[in-house]
Amino acid sequence: MTSVTNGPTDRLHGLDALRGGALLLGVVLHASMAYIPAPIWIATDAQTSQGASLIFFAIHLFRMTTFFLIAGLFGEMMLGRMGWLRFAKDRLNRIGGGLFGLWWLVFPAIIAVLLWKVAIDNGGTLPTDGPPPPPLTLETFPLTHLWFLWVLLIFYVVRLALHALTAADPSGHLGRFADRIAGLLIGPWSPAVLAAPVALAFWARPDWIVFFGVPTPDTGLVPNAVAVTAFGLAFATGALLNRRRDLLSRIVSAWPVFAVVALATGAAALYLAGGPGPRLTAVSDPEMKLTSAWTYAIAMWSATFAVIGLALRFASGHSAVRRYLADASYWVYIVHLPLVMAAQVLLLAQPWPWFAKLAAVLVGVMAVSLLSYELLVRHTYIGSWLNGRRVPWRKARPSTAPIAAE
């Protein structure tokens, strides 16, 4: 097994690939929503299946907690390498730039597809008597699928505030205390410990729907309490793990346990959510709600640690393909949603089975997204902006010209 107890500046290839994979799975998740047998998507297709529900549920169970845990770990690595001022500038440029610079392109594209779908439903023309759009306020601002960038910025601000606190502790007592907390937190028992605050947040939310797990904070600039609890805890756990990189070996060795628990509790959570049907109403019975909250929270954390252990165990070496996809994943995720919606609308009239439509959407969207990444981003200033580096079109070849005699 490849060691995962690298030095503080070594690249963790397995986690880098998993971070990119979590973003790319977002494309699959949004593509599957049109084929779930429930009206949860603007382009819901006539061809639906419980199989699409299973895909959505499985991905949604662990994807964002995994992403935020890795973001917390990688953020700590960058903070230690750059210092707080360079770190703040880098995060504002790459994360804030991705949000504030590209939202203005992505959101109008989403609206255009929505209007296209409305026109199709209205016989080819847009209705003139529709309700006016809601005013933009702190509560209604549509972050869309870029919400994770806003939440990341909030977490970075909190982390920098804590950095100022630790800087005032030259003796290092706070750091040693954090290391002891990490040692107690990480092990086969981690999902049960981390599930407690998340389950409480689930239980305290009156309109919590089990099938959707952590409510996506895609509307409004103040994230909901469940998302802050779940994703903030994941981010903080990742930050602690950077200080105790040796604890990653515990996760690797326990990945089979995490996987078995995730499968068992994930299946139970899906059953409590009404099965792959699914039931899209809040649980009213307090005892059933508490049971559902605990079950989903344990399944979420078990699945998160299982995929992290798997990535570190089997993908810790360098791979040019995985590295390329990890680099491309940020751009792909930013631009994918209007492309997914447009592809779903284009296929509405086709009599294909749901899995064929899903496959066509994924192939088409990934082809367009990766091609645009290669041509418009990877080798241009946009790549420097979003990924922190610009890859030259061609690597410089060593000169073969003869050296002139002096």
Side-chain angles (χ1 to χ4, degrees):
M1 181 180 72
T2 303
S3 173
V4 295
T5 56
N6 302 323
T9 59
D10 289 349
R11 190 177 189 93
L12 294 170
H13 294 289
L15 294 187
D16 192 37
L18 183 57
R19 175 196 58 82
L23 290 177
L24 295 178
L25 279 175
V27 183
V28 183
L29 180 134
H30 290 132
S32 71
M33 292 177 72
Y35 311 106
I36 294 175
I40 64 172
W41 197 237
I42 185 65
T44 298
D45 201 280
Q47 301 290 336
T48 61
S49 171
Q50 293 185 353
S53 297
L54 290 173
I55 292 173
F56 174 90
F57 185 85
I59 293 174
H60 192 63
L61 183 66
F62 71 90
R63 186 176 74 93
M64 291 314 297
T65 44
T66 300
F67 174 85
F68 277 103
L69 191 151
I70 297 173
L73 194 158
F74 283 3
E76 288 297 301
M77 293 171 63
M78 294 179 64
L79 181 59
R81 185 172 67 248
M82 294 181 171
W84 75 268
L85 184 58
R86 281 185 59 207
F87 175 80
K89 291 179 178 178
D90 179 88
R91 298 294 82 188
L92 187 60
N93 182 54
R94 293 170 58 185
I95 305 302
L99 174 60
F100 302 120
L102 295 175
W103 181 91
W104 303 98
L105 299 176
V106 172
F107 183 66
I110 293 173
I111 295 299
V113 178
L114 292 175
L115 292 176
W116 178 27
K117 177 61 167 59
V118 170
I120 291 175
D121 294 340
N122 198 51
T125 60
L126 289 173
T128 58
D129 56 349
L136 291 181
T137 66
L138 291 178
E139 292 78 20
T140 64
F141 190 88
L143 289 167
T144 69
H145 62 299
L146 303 185
W147 63 266
F148 76 105
L149 299 176
W150 177 249
V151 174
L152 266 179
L153 288 175
I154 294 174
F155 290 164
Y156 289 139
V157 169
V158 173
R159 178 61 188 93
L160 287 173
L162 292 175
H163 180 73
L165 180 63
T166 55
D169 178 36
S171 60
H173 291 305
L174 292 176
R176 289 191 291 274
F177 177 72
D179 292 343
R180 287 194 293 270
I181 293 296
L184 294 172
L185 182 63
I186 302 302
W189 54 85
S190 297
V193 176
L194 293 169
V198 179
L200 180 61
F202 284 150
W203 185 81
R205 185 177 173 98
D207 59 346
W208 180 58
I209 298 174
V210 182
F211 183 76
F212 291 127
V214 179
T216 304
D218 53 359
T219 301
L221 298 180
V222 179
N224 65 74
V226 180
V228 170
T229 301
F231 302 144
L233 191 56
F235 188 88
T237 301
L240 290 174
L241 277 170
N242 182 64
R243 293 185 55 90
R244 291 288 309 274
R245 199 81 63 82
D246 60 296
L247 296 176
L248 292 175
S249 296
R250 291 188 186 178
I251 298 176
V252 174
S253 62
W255 79 259
V257 176
F258 293 137
V260 170
V261 174
L263 288 172
T265 54
L270 181 61
Y271 172 79
L272 293 169
R279 184 180 65 243
L280 301 183
T281 56
V283 181
S284 57
D285 180 75
E287 292 185 4
M288 181 61 70
K289 185 177 183 180
L290 185 60
T291 300
S292 301
W294 267 105
T295 304
Y296 191 99
I298 292 175
M300 181 183 75
W301 285 112
S302 297
T304 296
F305 281 103
V307 295
I308 288 174
L310 281 166
L312 291 171
R313 173 64 180 84
F314 297 105
S316 18
H318 173 73
S319 164
V321 173
R322 289 198 299 266
R323 178 66 189 275
Y324 184 92
L325 291 175
D327 288 345
S329 63
Y330 188 21
W331 170 259
V332 171
Y333 189 78
I334 288 175
V335 302
H336 86 279
L337 189 56
L339 297 175
V340 165
M341 295 170 64
Q344 290 167 336
V345 172
L346 280 172
L347 294 177
L348 284 175
Q350 299 299 325
W352 304 349
W354 73 273
F355 54 85
K357 290 188 176 185
L358 176 61
V361 170
L362 292 175
V363 170
V365 169
M366 288 301 299
V368 172
S369 300
L370 289 174
L371 183 62
S372 65
Y373 170 73
E374 179 64 27
L375 297 179
L376 302 177
V377 178
R378 184 171 176 82
H379 311 288
T380 71
Y381 76 94
I382 302 178
S384 301
W385 172 36
L386 294 179
N387 290 342
R389 67 190 183 102
R390 173 183 174 181
V391 179
W393 281 103
R394 291 181 179 178
K395 293 183 178 179
R397 295 181 179 178
S399 174
T400 57
I403 301 175
E406 296 186 23

